[in-house]
C-alpha cells in the first residue's frame, strides 16, 4: 500500500499539490506551481513520481510542464506560443524592463490555443488540445508530435464546438492494450483507436434498449446516438472487459463493449447534466457522479444542495451521499476533470469546486470533509499514490 497520497489540483492560477499520510486525514497544500498558468489537467507516474501538468490559454500559449522531483522544480515544453510572446517580441524594451523574455517559436503556434488533457500509456505521454488535436511524446514530455489520424477522421469536418470550444478533454488509455485509447471531444463525442492513433472509430451509438428522450439542444444525440457533448469518461479498473462510463451533457451512460454501444443510466439522478464521473479501483460497478441542474439553470447542485450520487450496481440505481457537504445555498460547480478516486479500501473520492474547495471521502461517499479551501477555481483533481 502506498505510504503517501498526493492530489494534483489544477487551477486557474497554477498547480497545487495536496499531500497526506496513509491515513488520508491530514492534508498539506503546496504551490502554486507552473508560473500561475491555467492548468486544465495534471497526472503523475506512480512508478517514478514524475508529474505533468497541461494547460495554457490564448495569452500564455499552450504547453506541458514536467517535474521529476515531486514538484520542487518544473520545466516547460511549449507547443504553441501565445499573445504574450507576440507582445514581448513587438515590445522588447518594455519586456526587458519587466524581466520578461519571449519563448522561442513553438511548433504548433496558431494551430492550438491550450491543452486540456493528458494520458500515460506504457512509455507514451498523450496530450489533447483545443481545438481538438491529439499529440504524443515518446521522451516523457520534452518533444511532441501530432497524431494526424484523428483529424483525418471522415467526421472531422462536421465537428462542432461546445460552449468552451472544440476541446479534446478526456484521454482514457487501456492498461494492457497499449495501442488502445478512448478520447472524448466536445462536441464530437467518443472515439477509439486500437492502433496507437493511426485510425479511429467514432463511438456514439446507443444500445438498442436505451430510451432516447427528445431534445432540441444542438449537441443532443439523434438517430440513436448519445449526446455528442461528452463531458468525462472513465474505464472500470480491474474489469476483464472494456467497461466504460461517461457523464454526458445529456445524461450518464454505461458501455460494456468498449464504447461500441452505450446504455443510458440517468434514471434515479436528479438531472441529466453534470461534468465528472469516477469509478472504484476494484469494483467496476461502483461509480460516483455529481449532478448539476443544467445549462439555463446555473450549473450548480439541484436545489442548491450538494450531493455526490453513488451507484453500487453500475448505474441501475443511485443513492445521494450528502453527509458533510453543504446543504443550503450551495452554488458551486464541479468541472469535468475535477473528481478522482484512489486505490484504497475503503475507496477514497476527491472533488474540487469552482469556489476553490476540495472535498474528500475515506468511506466511498458515506461522509465527506473539506480538505482545502480558498484555492483558485479548481479545474482538475487527480490522485498520485506511491509506495
Amino acid at each position: 500500500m502506498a505510504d503517501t497520497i498526493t492530489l494534483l489540483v489544477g487551477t486557474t492560477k497554477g498547480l497545487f499539490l495536496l499531500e497526506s499520510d496513509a491515513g488520508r486525514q491530514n492534508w498539506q497544500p503546496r504551490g502554486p506551481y507552473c508560473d500561475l498558468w491555467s492548468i486544465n489537467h495534471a497526472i503523475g507516474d506512480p512508478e517514478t513520481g514524475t508529474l505533468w501538468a497541461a494547460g495554457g490559454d490564448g495569452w500564455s500559449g499552450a504547453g506541458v510542464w514536467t517535474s521529476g522531483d515531486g514538484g520542487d522544480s518544473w520545466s516547460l515544453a511549449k507547443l504553441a506560443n501565445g499573445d504574450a510572446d507576440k507582445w514581448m517580441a513587438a515590445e522588447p524594451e518594455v519586456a526587458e524592463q519587466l524581466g520578461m523574455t519571449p519563448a522561442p517559436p513553438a511548433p504548433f503556434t496558431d494551430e492550438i490555443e491550450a491543452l486540456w488533457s493528458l494520458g500515460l500509456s506504457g512509455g507514451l505521454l498523450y496530450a489533447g488540445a483545443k481545438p481538438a488535436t491529439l499529440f504524443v511524446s515518446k521522451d516523457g514530455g520534452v518533444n511532441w508530435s501530432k497524431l494526424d489520424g484523428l483529424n483525418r477522421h471522415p467526421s472531422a469536418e462536421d465537428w462542432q464546438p461546445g460552449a468552451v470550444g472544440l476541446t479534446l478533454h478526456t484521454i482514457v488509455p487501456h492498461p494492457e492494450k497499449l495501442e488502445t485509447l478512448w478520447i472524448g471531444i466536445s462536441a464530437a463525442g467518443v472515439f477509439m483507436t486500437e492502433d496507437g492513433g493511426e485510425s479511429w472509430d467514432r463511438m456514439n451509438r446507443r444500445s438498442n434498449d436505451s430510451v432516447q428522450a427528445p431534445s432540441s439542444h444542438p449537441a443532443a444525440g439523434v438517430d440513436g446516438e448519445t449526446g455528442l457533448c461528452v463531458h468525462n469518461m472513465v474505464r472500470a479498473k480491474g474489469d476483464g472487459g472494456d467497461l466504460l462510463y461517461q457523464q454526458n451533457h445529456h445524461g450518464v451512460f454505461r458501455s460494456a463493449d468498449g464504447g461500441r454501444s452505450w446504455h443510458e443510466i440517468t434514471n434515479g439522478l436528479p438531472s441529466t447534466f453534470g461534468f465528472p464521473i469516477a469509478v472504484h479501483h476494484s469494483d467496476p460497478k461502483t461509480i460516483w457522479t455529481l449532478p448539476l441542474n443544467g445549462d439555463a439553470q446555473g450549473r450548480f447542485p439541484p436545489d442548491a444542495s450538494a450531493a455526490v450520487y453513488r451507484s453500487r450496481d453500475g448505474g441501475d440505481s443511485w443513492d445521494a451521499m450528502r453527509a458533510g457537504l453543504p446543504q443550503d445555498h450551495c452554488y458551486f460547480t464541479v468541472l469535468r476533470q475535477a473528481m478522482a478516486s484512489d486505490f484504497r479500501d475503503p475507496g477514497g473520492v476527491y472533488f474540487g469546486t469552482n469556489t476553490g474547495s476540495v472535498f474528500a471521502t475515506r468511506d466511498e461517499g458515506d461522509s465527506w470533509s473539506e480538505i482545502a479551501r480558498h484555492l483558485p477555481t479548481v479545474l482538475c483533481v487527480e490522485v498520485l499514490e506511491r509506495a
Side-chain angles (χ1 to χ4, degrees):
M1 178 179 292
D3 294 327
T4 62
I5 294 180
T6 300
L7 299 186
L8 313 179
V9 182
T11 78
T12 53
K13 297 181 181 179
L15 179 74
F16 292 80
L17 305 180
L18 299 183
E19 298 173 325
S20 174
D21 58 16
R24 300 178 293 180
Q25 291 183 315
N26 300 309
W27 296 85
Q28 298 297 322
R30 288 199 287 136
Y33 300 113
C34 306
D35 283 0
L36 299 179
W37 272 38
S38 183
I39 299 299
N40 293 313
H41 197 210
I43 62 173
D45 184 344
E47 298 296 325
T48 66
T50 301
L51 307 177
W52 295 278
D57 53 33
W59 174 252
S60 63
V64 177
W65 295 83
T66 303
S67 176
D69 54 15
D72 290 338
S73 62
W74 294 82
S75 60
L76 171 64
K78 209 161 191 180
L79 277 70
N81 297 114
D83 290 340
D85 297 297
K86 297 176 183 178
W87 173 81
M88 285 184 277
E91 301 286 347
E93 294 181 359
V94 178
E96 184 178 2
Q97 291 175 0
L98 297 174
M100 302 170 68
T101 304
F108 304 104
T109 298
D110 296 327
E111 294 185 44
I112 61 170
E113 178 181 325
L115 295 177
W116 275 67
S117 53
L118 292 167
L120 185 64
S121 181
L124 301 180
L125 182 65
Y126 296 92
K130 170 188 174 182
T133 312
L134 185 63
F135 297 92
V136 64
S137 173
K138 299 179 180 180
D139 55 11
V142 178
N143 296 289
W144 293 85
S145 58
K146 188 191 304 184
L147 288 172
D148 290 316
L150 176 63
N151 297 94
R152 290 196 301 264
H153 191 275
S155 67
E157 62 182 20
D158 297 323
W159 296 350
Q160 297 296 320
V164 295
L166 186 65
T167 58
L168 199 168
H169 51 65
T170 300
I171 302 172
V172 180
H174 195 290
E176 291 90 30
K177 303 173 184 177
L178 300 185
E179 292 196 330
T180 296
L181 294 173
W182 295 268
I183 62 170
I185 299 175
S186 291
V190 175
F191 294 79
M192 183 187 73
T193 179
E194 296 180 287
D195 54 17
E198 291 295 321
S199 63
W200 295 83
D201 292 318
R202 204 175 189 187
M203 301 286 191
N204 298 324
R205 187 179 71 82
R206 285 175 176 258
S207 61
N208 293 334
D209 60 348
S210 187
V211 177
Q212 184 171 6
S215 174
S216 60
H217 193 281
V222 296
D223 298 328
E225 287 190 331
T226 63
L228 297 182
C229 194
V230 54
H231 282 173
N232 190 253
M233 179 172 52
V234 292
R235 182 185 183 276
K237 306 172 183 69
D239 185 72
D242 290 329
L243 178 60
L244 302 173
Y245 297 96
Q246 67 159 292
Q247 170 70 65
N248 194 287
H249 195 111
H250 296 90
V252 182
F253 295 86
R254 177 183 69 222
S255 174
D257 53 13
R260 291 171 177 82
S261 64
W262 294 91
H263 177 75
E264 185 165 357
I265 53 174
T266 311
N267 189 37
L269 296 173
S271 76
T272 60
F273 187 88
F275 285 109
I277 192 163
V279 63
H280 195 280
H281 71 95
S282 62
D283 179 0
K285 292 187 176 182
T286 294
I287 51 177
W288 300 266
T289 191
L290 202 153
L292 302 174
N293 60 6
D295 270 334
Q297 301 173 57
R299 297 187 175 190
F300 54 80
D303 301 319
S305 179
V308 173
Y309 278 71
R310 181 181 69 195
S311 176
R312 296 291 200 186
D313 52 17
D316 290 337
S317 63
W318 296 91
D319 294 304
M321 306 286 105
R322 300 182 181 273
L325 298 177
Q327 295 303 291
D328 298 299
H329 310 294
C330 177
Y331 301 102
F332 62 51
T333 293
V334 179
L335 297 173
R336 69 178 81 249
Q337 301 283 19
M339 177 184 281
S341 56
D342 66 22
F343 292 82
R344 301 302 180 92
D345 289 307
V349 183
Y350 312 86
F351 71 86
T353 73
N354 68 335
T355 55
S357 293
V358 178
F359 290 88
T361 176
R362 294 181 296 140
D363 52 20
E364 304 192 352
D366 290 340
S367 61
W368 297 84
S369 60
E370 188 181 33
I371 62 172
R373 62 176 61 178
H374 307 315
L375 297 175
T377 295
V378 176
L379 304 176
C380 83
V381 175
E382 290 288 357
V383 177
L384 175 65
E385 296 189 58
R386 298 195 69 196

